[in-house]
Amino acid sequence: MLTKFETKSARVKGLSFHPKRPWVLTSLHSGIIQLWDYRMCTLIDKFDEHDGPVRGICFHGQQPLFVSGGDDYKIKVWNYKLRRCLFTLLGHLDYIRTTTFHHEYPWILSCSDDQTIRIWNWQSRSCISVLTGHSHYVMCAQFHPSEDLIVSASLDQTVRVWDISGLRKKNAAPGPSGLTDHLKSPGSTELFGQTDAIVKHVLEGHDRGVNWVAFHPTLPLIVSGADDRQVKLWRMNESKAWEVDTCRGHYNNVSCVLFHPRQELIVSNSEDKSIRVWDMTKRTCLNTFRREHDRFWVLGAHPTLNIFAAGHDGGMIIFKLERERPAFAVHQNLLYYVKDRYLRKLDFNTSKDVAVMQLRGGSRTPMYSMSYNPAENSVLLCLRAPNVENSTYDLYTVPKDSDSQNPDAPEGRRSSGLTAVWVARNRFAVLDRTHSVVVKNLKNEITKKVQVPNCDDIFYAGTGCLLLKDTDCVMLFDVQQKRTLASVKLAKVKYVVWSPDMSHLALISKHNIAICSRKLESLCSVHETVRIKSGAWDESGVFIYTTSNHIKYTLINGDHGIIRTLDLPIYITRIKGNSIYCLDRECRPRVLGIDSTEYKFKLALVNRKYDEVLHMVRNAKLVGQSIIAYLQKKGYPEVALHFVKDEKTRFGLALECGNIEVALEAAKTLNDKDCWDRLGEAALLYGNHQVVEMAYQRTKNFDKLCFLYLITGNLEKLRKMMKIAEIRKDTSGQFQIALYLGDVEERVKILRSCGQKSLAYLTAASHGLEEETQQLQEIFEEANEKLPEVNPDAVLLQPAVPIMQQESNWPLLTVAKSIFAGPVGPKQPGGTSLPVAADIDIGEAGAVWGDDEIVIDEDGTFGTPGEEVDVSGGKTGWNVEDEDLELPDVDIGSGIAGGAEGAFVPPTKGTSQAMNWCNNSQLPVDHLLAGSFETAMRLLHDQIGVVAFEAYKQLFMETYARGRSCVLALPSLPPLLEYPHRNWKEAGAKGGVPAVGLKLAELVQRLQVAYQLTTQGKFEEAVGKFRSILLSVPLLVVDNKQEISEAQQLIDICREYIVGLRMELKRKELPKDTLDEQKRICEMAAYFTHCNLQPVHLILTLRTALNLFFKLKNFKTAASFAARLLELGPKPDIAQQTRKILAACEKTPTDTHELKYDQHNPFDICAATYTPIYRGKPVVKCPLSGACYQPEFKGQVCHVTEVTEIGKDCIGLRISPIQFR
């Protein structure tokens, strides 16, 4: 059973599938009716008008109606489009059990605990017949799918079949059949009228109440389920009905039972919490599906699709009985697929579809997958059993010549195995039931067993390779070398689709697609909310895939979208041009047409094939907000401009791509203040002050307009603005403009008019305006007011006089038109620049050269005012006499140098020194000095496996700061940068590499400081210092092999000290309470003595270990430490004490306790666990420091460097140009 959708709700008592749409109705014990979309897994609507449980529910076949019946004795007819109940039918006197629509007539059939069955006309909204006869609750009643029959089941232990042909004749309009019936028996008018419904058969055989009954869709069969735990099959004819057989197996009441719509199966469910599938011919149970805690109550089958629904105590499940995905394989232009136990071959070119062979075995299980071998013309067909461990595969050789009408049935070789795929011309790999891989030959004999990592499935990956699927990752495995080449993290992959050239693959899981390279490097991933069904690669490298309801695409950069919708799922086999070749669920080959314009347009943009983009822009129908949003996101607003008709959107796009003319045109049409403001702001950035002026005028932004006139030196317009401010009574604005203009008389006048006498007097007196000063003095004297004192040291402040008025816009760099400008879209308004002579078409030369005034037309070409330019060559001054030349038909090309017409030619900017540094060197430090942190990081990652860069941040910034020297330029300008070179003698313009501030000698000096810290016992500070030196070594540049060797020695010293000191710090933190803890402390002290330290520090470590082991009474080992210590020549007092301890140890040369320490067996210390890794044991190392680790630490960050990945395969340390020669 394949569960497709599951809901959680109150107990589900009724179910009904919509015949066309992916909808299912559930009626709940709580009184609510839910409408679900089982394909999108969403609740669409719910209807809550019944009081108490709703048991009967049914969709109408054609109308947007459904009917429900509940424990409130009401039958309700609903319209799901209007989302309301249309009317209620009253008449039943007890709980209503089922309600169904007739497939043809406007009838509703209902049955109830009032022991009656009623037929209602939903158009006249009346009860047209009551069927009585049952002596207990009627649990179920159904119309026959094609005949005038009803079947009913009751707790009176009987099933009754009713004939309602009389009711049809009485109520239905006399159609063709009614008329023929009447003509056949003209004299058979019944004396007492026609009986509505008569009992045709009473089926007795159940020992308890019958809960459900159903007709077979085509055969004269009935199936029933009852409280006696039995499912009974009945057959009937015109005269009688009889029991055929009983299916026993349920161990509680059978709630519901029905026939499979298209196969010879019976499906039943029960209160024993199980669903059972029975073989109708053999009457045996094929499958049982159980739930833990929920009893089943109702079943529903979709009329046309292979899906079922079951209602239980906790909700509903939608399920399939078997997988419908066809098994197929594609090779070049051929599709091989399995249908109806035949292997068929379809030629994509000729559409010829033939059966090539018959498959052996009558297994009901459909083929799971197929692998085709063109070299040997053989196929592997895999079958998955319900219990995966029992799966098998068949190996067939396809007959070369076969009669398509009666194909051969060659012998196949069958073996157990979960999956089988070809790995070579005459070898295939099998994943067996123990989840190990075996390689077999064409005779199905094992040639070798391959030890592989744990995996659940295998997929084809080219000759000699396999893809191994684990629960959370996929690995590329080389079968020959027996090693994993690459892996990618992705959970629950179901299918793998390789591109035709094997350069890319798509890994498909239930809701995700991951696109990867051949080496399993993840390029992008796409998440879908509905199930992904299939996929294939387009010829252009686009992955096309299907979901339950769409065909979609994804480019390898992650851009994806919808191509078209689907009514039913399909399985893509091949994409050719605008056609998709696919198989449907019935295994029928189909060809669907698609519009590939959108994804080909995006692909052309991504690949920068601008000529294709241009062609599509001109000819293709690309519309919609999504394509505009895509172009904006990708930085091509000028392309989007050509699709857009809406002026507001055009305005936004034009501003984005800096097309001020189009933006101005749109702003004029919109005439919106916000648009003019934005246009003014954008135009100012481009120095187009003529458009800025217009924008400020339209928005009446006088302050900004005045300032614009000031900075462009337009004093005449500034004076006009002052007059306007006066008329507008804007005193403040008027005074400000007077300041801009340096007009003192005007300022005095303004100050006088607004009552500021003191300021007016001071202004006039300071500027030597005697007449105004005199007048103001008189006013003060008349008012007996004191005159303000004039500052004798006043300084004249006048605005600078414009050198020249800036009439034209700011100059812009001259560039060729973008490929997308001009010819594609609408004509650009008013040309902004004169074409130079070379750009003018010779054919447009004037009539008599120089006679008339030359002007520029709207489209930027020459013309004369008031008349058309004569280009016909009539009375021309220039007559080149080329009419009668006879030229051979020779293709001489366009003659345009420099690529396609209109190609974008940006102004060439020189390469910066920083860029030269990056181009000239592969050393990380040179890239850091250039400021290219990203490439420096990549080099460090590739060379020494750096994965965590936090610790490097300070070093990066310090290095970058050394890369330039500054020279002070003009005041208020930024300083000029200089780029010092280390090879300045031979560098030239482009051959330079940067001078490096850090030298090996400086690191050696720092090492002395670290040694001193160690001697002083400041271990944490010392570790930090050693790590800083270690991380600085990759940022060196050295000249010869000796210095490279010294740098490597420096790394080794730092590693030994960091491992030893961190171990010592850890040892000091350990508790000393128990014997085991004391033993561990001694072990770590012993390991420390094996770190390669300076003699002064080694003496200290040996003394520590000696004392600890002596206290632990391990005298033998303590004696060895004493001997080693004396060899190093310690100070006399230390030597004296050591000899005493040695003498004491030699008296009893034994170890009381056994420790994990063998001094005679060489070992490395694991830098994570501080345990010995003896020679010959597996070990992984840090690619920079060389620190050793146990294999389980592979992939983690090194504890010594804190930046590198343990066990990473790297190029190695590169600090000199000679290492690249």
Side-chain angles (χ1 to χ4, degrees), residues 266-314:
I266 293 168
V267 186
S268 64
N269 67 9
S270 158
E271 291 177 45
D272 65 7
K273 305 170 190 167
S274 74
I275 299 173
R276 289 175 187 256
V277 182
W278 312 83
D279 187 319
M280 204 167 88
T281 50
K282 298 175 184 171
R283 267 80 76 184
T284 54
C285 182
L286 299 174
N287 285 315
T288 304
F289 313 113
R290 300 185 191 281
R291 278 187 85 82
E292 288 289 317
H293 308 294
D294 301 311
R295 295 167 297 174
F296 283 104
W297 297 103
V298 66
L299 267 174
H302 196 285
T304 55
L305 303 177
N306 177 28
I307 51 171
F308 298 84
H312 54 77
D313 283 334

Side-chain angles (χ1 to χ4, degrees), residues 343 357 370-372 377-381 394-396 398 422:
L343 178 70
M357 71 178 193
M370 180 196 300
S371 183
Y372 175 68
N377 201 27
S378 301
V379 288
L380 289 164
L381 298 169
D394 291 329
L395 169 63
Y396 288 100
V398 181
W422 297 101

Side-chain angles (χ1 to χ4, degrees), residues 636-644 649-651 653-654 657 659 662 826:
Y636 296 102
E638 69 274 20
V639 185
L641 206 52
H642 298 303
F643 303 128
V644 184
T649 316
R650 275 180 73 78
F651 176 78
L653 290 169
C657 59
N659 195 332
V662 175

Side-chain angles (χ1 to χ4, degrees), residues 1-4 275 299 307-310 317-321:
M1 181 167 97
L2 303 166
T3 304
K4 290 288 166 188
I275 299 173
L299 267 174
I307 51 171
F308 298 84
I317 53 170
I318 305 278
F319 63 95
K320 284 184 185 178
L321 293 180

